[in-house]
Amino acid sequence: MRRRLGVSALALTASLSAAAPSLAQTGPAPGPAAGSGPVLTVPPLEVVAKQLDRERTEIQPSLGATRYDFAASAIQNIPLGDNASLNQVLLRAPGVVQDGFGQIHVRGDHGSLQYRLDGVQLPEGLALFSQILSPRFADSLSLITGALPAQYGLRTAGVVDISVKSGTTNPGGEASTMLGSYNWVQPALEYGGRSGAIDYFAVGQYVSNGIGIENPTGSALPIHDNTAQWYALAKVTGIVDESTRLSFIGGGASARYQIPNVPGQIPNFTVNGISNQNSSFLDQRQWEDTYFGIASLQKSYQNFNLQFSGFARYSNLSYQPDALGDLLYNGIAPWAKRTSFAVGTQADASWKIAANHTIRGGFLVQRERVTSFSQTNALPLVPDPSDPDAEFIPGEQTVGFADGSELIGWTYSVYLQDEWKVTPTLTMNVGARFDAISAATTENQLSPRINLVWEPDPKIALRAGYSRYFVPAPLNQVGFNSIAVRAGTTAATEVTRNDPVRAERSDYFDIGLTVKPVDGLTVGFSGFYKFAENYLDKGQFGAPVFQTAFNYAYAQVKGFEVFGNYDKGPWSAYANLAWSRVSSTNINSAQFNFEQADLDYIANHWIFADHDQSWTGSAGAAYVFNQGSEWATRVSADMLFGSGLRTSVVTPNDTALPAYATVNLSVAQKIPLPGSKGTTIRFDAINLTDLSYQLRDGTGVGVGAPQYGMRRAFFVTLSQKF
């Protein structure tokens, strides 16, 4: 797999041999002198666009952090290639843990990932099953972890940095269709180009299959699990002059899901005299929609670079229960809808004030409004007619109630840092950021950051860093509905305490070593430790299926990663192995989601977090036959390994689920059809051994349902460039 692992220092490619030509030079270049060789000319607008791309990377480097880069060829090596979900690509980075509902965990955190498009942070949405971003959108893709520099805040487990394709980087078009197991149909279309000073690129895809959510049973085929989804993104940029560029990125995703069923379940309640129903016929559904837009102005002047952006994101989640079935099995049937609308502005700048000093700073301001409404049916709690002195029991006649709320939150962030080249081989990046929130709680923190990178030899890089983090709970994942309206019904909670979810505050330490012993080979090591107060976790508590945040009073996260990759000629290969341990104690917010016995135990004991997985690994290799020819053949294989997430047997999260390892194979063949710019046929085999493995068993703190990984599946993709 073609990927660079290790320290990200400020190492930009060499500048252009001459300044970018003036945009006014639109005529042909002068002809060659008599007897001279041919003159190579480059379109001025393309030169300026690429130069501005390089200058944008100068604004937000990841100096001192650990950066895992996925080139376009690396994405093609993984199963399904561009058709894979973004999280499936990220699972090939060290320390990234696979979970149910398509979620991933990085370095022991539940979520807390930030996604950046061309350097602009995208607000977090409501979608749980669907992913609004695709590797198909990316010209380059990186995961940045570790002790992050001061420009990265609010979501700190990792930064998914995406440089979006453009008409300059990806001219022309490509159409593809993937067909496969589970009635899978996935057509996609992309096109990019340039017209004068305007660069444009657009991409869209549609997905329909019969396994929209992980199967809750170990069977080969899930029951009632169809999905239909579309994703789209468009990018338009305009060059004003040699140092100024305007851009707009707009995109969205819409997905419809059936909630899969578990056959053979026994109802827990009686409704209007009905006490039996075939659980295979339940009909629960969920809708998820997200739309976003980012407008940016980039300006460069000598040693100063600036990007100023405005952004907006709308997100909606709706849940439709099985009117009778939800009451029979859960005692509650909610028709629920939650929406979130966030707008804001972000600015980042860099100024090289001296040969050995570069100052960087910026700010972010965001406003988010979250609304929630549900119309719910439940069963009343009534006296037991056979024993009036006994506790109340569920009645059979339904009662209904409505519940709604609104929450508005503001986020303010500002940072400043200095990259100091202490010696030719030692670089120190020191700075701080200030974050403040005003929402369900009002909190703020000043967070110092420092990173050291020592490169005694071009083939060796050592780093060490410390970061103070401030991570507020996602506003749209804060449970703020009324508990009182549920009293006296089967929807009532055992615990009525609901302390507000607070921002996590932590100290993070990170060290690492990267070595390049021979050409094409990179090996490395990373170790990290975090101590957190009000450690943020998330759980799925009943229906609708979305994440609800809560805090542990304290948590310790520690681990290490070893990794290596080789990329030279037709061969590329990678392997990594990570160990981590997440221990936490005392749930001190959103307590109504839990049973009192669990709260009492966790208040006096350290437990594993439910998303803790001790060992995580991945490995893969690819070889290209006839590399560089029109008949090139790419053959690749990879493996994912997990030692198992946590489950509860005697005490909360006391046991790990069984370990698993899945093997995948891919073959892609180019075919030079006459009059074609490129035709490729691709075959993928997922979980080749047809292993039945469990990601979740439905128990554990904050775990709402069992999930199994996908069984063996086969896919064929035909793509055509034009």
Side-chain angles (χ1 to χ4, degrees):
M1 175 170 288
R2 189 160 302 176
R3 178 177 71 200
R4 188 182 74 242
L5 300 174
V7 177
S8 172
L10 274 180
L12 301 178
T13 55
S15 59
L16 299 174
S17 58
S22 169
L23 297 182
Q25 297 176 358
T26 57
S36 66
V39 175
L40 178 64
T41 61
V42 180
L45 290 171
E46 293 188 11
V47 173
V48 173
K50 292 177 180 179
Q51 175 69 19
L52 289 170
D53 286 343
R54 285 189 288 269
E55 290 170 346
R56 185 174 59 212
T57 65
E58 172 73 14
I59 299 174
Q60 298 180 18
S62 53
L63 180 68
T66 302
R67 186 183 187 105
Y68 309 98
D69 291 331
F70 295 87
S73 59
I75 294 174
Q76 294 304 316
N77 287 345
I78 73 166
L80 306 184
D82 284 337
N83 290 309
S85 66
L86 179 59
N87 282 359
Q88 283 296 314
V89 176
L90 297 175
L91 281 175
R92 274 68 189 178
V96 181
V97 174
Q98 181 178 205
D99 200 349
F101 300 142
Q103 300 175 91
I104 59 172
H105 309 298
V106 177
R107 289 197 170 190
D109 276 325
H110 193 141
S112 195
L113 289 172
Q114 64 173 276
Y115 295 84
R116 292 192 170 217
L117 300 180
D118 286 353
V120 183
Q121 184 172 335
L122 190 65
E124 192 163 359
L126 284 166
L128 177 59
F129 307 140
S130 54
Q131 297 174 42
I132 65 172
L133 302 177
S134 165
R136 194 180 297 279
F137 304 163
D139 182 56
S140 64
L141 170 65
S142 303
L143 174 64
I144 306 169
T145 65
L148 301 175
Q151 69 263 30
Y152 301 116
L154 304 176
R155 303 287 170 260
T156 56
V159 179
V160 181
D161 189 20
I162 297 175
S163 177
V164 180
K165 291 178 180 178
S166 66
T168 300
T169 60
N170 292 78
E174 182 174 3
S176 68
T177 299
M178 185 177 77
L179 304 174
S181 303
Y182 303 100
N183 299 317
W184 203 297
V185 179
Q186 187 168 340
L189 178 66
E190 65 179 67
Y191 188 78
R194 175 180 289 280
S195 177
I198 305 300
D199 181 293
Y200 53 88
F201 177 81
V203 57
Q205 67 178 3
Y206 173 80
V207 180
S208 175
N209 60 60
I211 187 168
I213 304 172
E214 287 90 351
N215 193 347
T217 74
S219 63
L221 296 174
I223 301 171
H224 190 264
D225 201 8
N226 293 335
T227 184
Q229 313 166 26
W230 66 260
Y231 306 82
L233 179 140
K235 175 180 175 180
V236 180
T237 61
I239 295 177
V240 179
D241 55 44
E242 294 179 349
S243 63
T244 310
R245 177 168 60 180
L246 297 170
S247 66
F248 175 78
I249 300 173
S254 181
R256 307 292 181 260
Y257 296 93
Q258 295 176 332
I259 307 299
N261 297 331
V262 179
Q265 298 296 290
I266 299 174
N268 297 309
F269 303 93
T270 299
V271 181
N272 297 327
I274 301 173
S275 60
N276 192 23
Q277 185 189 53
N278 188 338
S279 59
S280 299
F281 297 153
L282 288 172
D283 187 16
Q284 303 163 312
R285 298 170 184 260
Q286 187 152 309
W287 292 261
E288 299 181 356
D289 303 281
T290 299
Y291 306 96
F292 62 88
I294 300 170
S296 299
L297 165 66
Q298 182 186 347
K299 182 69 178 179
S300 297
Y301 179 72
Q302 295 182 353
N303 293 324
F304 179 79
N305 295 302
L306 167 71
Q307 179 164 280
F308 181 83
S309 305
F311 56 82
R313 189 265 304 139
Y314 171 81
S315 188
N316 166 71
L317 185 151
S318 300
Y319 173 80
Q320 173 188 295
D322 184 294
L324 175 61
D326 276 46
L327 286 170
L328 286 171
Y329 292 96
N330 304 320
I332 177 174
W335 282 259
K337 181 175 183 177
R338 181 172 286 197
T339 66
S340 170
F341 181 64
V343 295
T345 183
Q346 174 185 330
D348 301 276
S350 69
W351 181 24
K352 191 173 182 63
I353 61 173
N356 59 344
H357 284 278
T358 300
I359 302 296
R360 295 183 175 88
F363 69 85
L364 179 144
V365 178
Q366 177 180 303
R367 179 189 187 271
E368 183 175 12
R369 175 178 178 263
V370 179
T371 64
S372 178
F373 178 80
S374 65
Q375 181 67 50
T376 304
N377 284 341
L379 300 173
L381 297 178
V382 300
D384 186 348
S386 63
D387 187 0
D389 296 327
E391 294 182 356
F392 283 46
I393 63 172
E396 296 186 18
Q397 303 300 317
T398 61
V399 295
F401 56 87
D403 189 14
S405 53
E406 176 187 78
L407 187 61
I408 295 176
W410 286 87
T411 302
Y412 311 91
S413 300
V414 62
Y415 72 90
L416 183 66
Q417 61 187 341
D418 175 27
E419 179 198 337
W420 177 23
K421 198 78 172 178
V422 182
T423 70
T425 61
L426 178 64
T427 302
M428 180 172 68
N429 193 41
V430 60
R433 64 178 292 126
F434 177 79
D435 298 292
I437 58 170
S438 176
T441 61
T442 299
E443 303 178 72
N444 61 74
Q445 178 176 287
L446 179 65
S447 305
R449 311 280 180 89
I450 183 169
N451 295 93
L452 292 171
V453 179
W454 182 43
E455 297 177 291
D457 183 273
K459 296 181 179 181
I460 301 174
L462 296 95
R463 60 178 172 77
Y466 164 78
S467 293
R468 177 70 173 166
Y469 287 149
F470 176 83
V471 181
L475 188 66
N476 50 55
Q477 295 178 356
V478 174
F480 51 87
N481 288 357
S482 173
I483 298 174
V485 297
R486 300 168 175 257
T489 73
T490 49
T493 59
E494 178 186 352
V495 177
T496 58
R497 188 172 180 180
N498 184 22
D499 290 333
V501 181
R502 290 175 286 274
E504 175 186 311
R505 304 166 187 265
S506 64
D507 295 288
Y508 195 102
F509 302 88
D510 182 72
I511 60 171
L513 168 68
T514 303
V515 180
K516 300 178 179 179
V518 297
D519 186 25
L521 176 64
T522 301
V523 295
F525 166 87
S526 293
F528 58 92
Y529 174 80
K530 179 174 84 168
F531 182 80
E533 300 176 70
N534 296 322
Y535 175 74
L536 274 174
D537 201 348
K538 302 170 187 176
Q540 189 261 305
F541 305 99
V545 187
F546 60 68
Q547 298 289 298
T548 300
F550 64 94
N551 297 107
Y552 288 96
Y554 302 103
Q556 297 182 70
V557 182
K558 54 188 175 183
F560 66 84
E561 303 161 351
V562 291
F563 48 80
N565 75 93
Y566 179 79
D567 190 357
K568 187 175 183 181
W571 280 103
S572 58
Y574 79 98
N576 56 69
L577 183 66
W579 174 86
S580 68
R581 175 66 53 82
V582 186
S583 303
S584 52
T585 185
N586 190 15
I587 295 174
N588 61 0
S589 66
Q591 296 93 334
F592 71 96
N593 291 299
F594 305 92
E595 296 180 359
Q596 187 63 54
D598 285 347
L599 292 174
D600 292 342
Y601 182 87
I602 298 169
N604 296 289
H605 297 82
W606 287 80
I607 67 168
F608 294 103
D610 71 281
H611 55 272
D612 178 77
Q613 180 167 268
S614 296
W615 293 97
T616 304
S618 60
Y623 184 83
V624 180
F625 296 90
N626 303 315
Q627 188 178 34
S629 78
E630 295 181 336
W631 288 96
T633 304
R634 181 192 302 268
V635 179
S636 59
D638 82 345
M639 178 272 295
L640 294 177
F641 167 77
S643 63
L645 297 169
R646 310 303 297 187
T647 184
S648 297
V649 177
V650 179
T651 59
N653 300 339
D654 61 345
T655 304
L657 289 169
Y660 64 89
T662 59
V663 178
N664 313 289
L665 297 176
S666 301
V667 179
Q669 176 65 59
K670 287 186 177 180
I671 303 176
L673 295 179
S676 168
K677 290 187 176 181
T679 303
T680 303
I681 297 178
R682 180 184 179 113
F683 172 78
D684 293 277
I686 308 298
N687 192 2
L688 190 64
T689 62
D690 198 27
L691 176 69
S692 177
Y693 63 102
Q694 198 166 27
L695 299 171
R696 294 289 192 181
D697 70 351
T699 68
V701 178
V703 179
Q707 293 111 20
Y708 284 78
M710 181 187 288
R711 298 286 293 273
R712 182 165 51 209
F714 301 104
F715 301 89
V716 176
T717 303
L718 175 64
S719 60
Q720 175 67 56
K721 292 185 177 181
F722 56 91

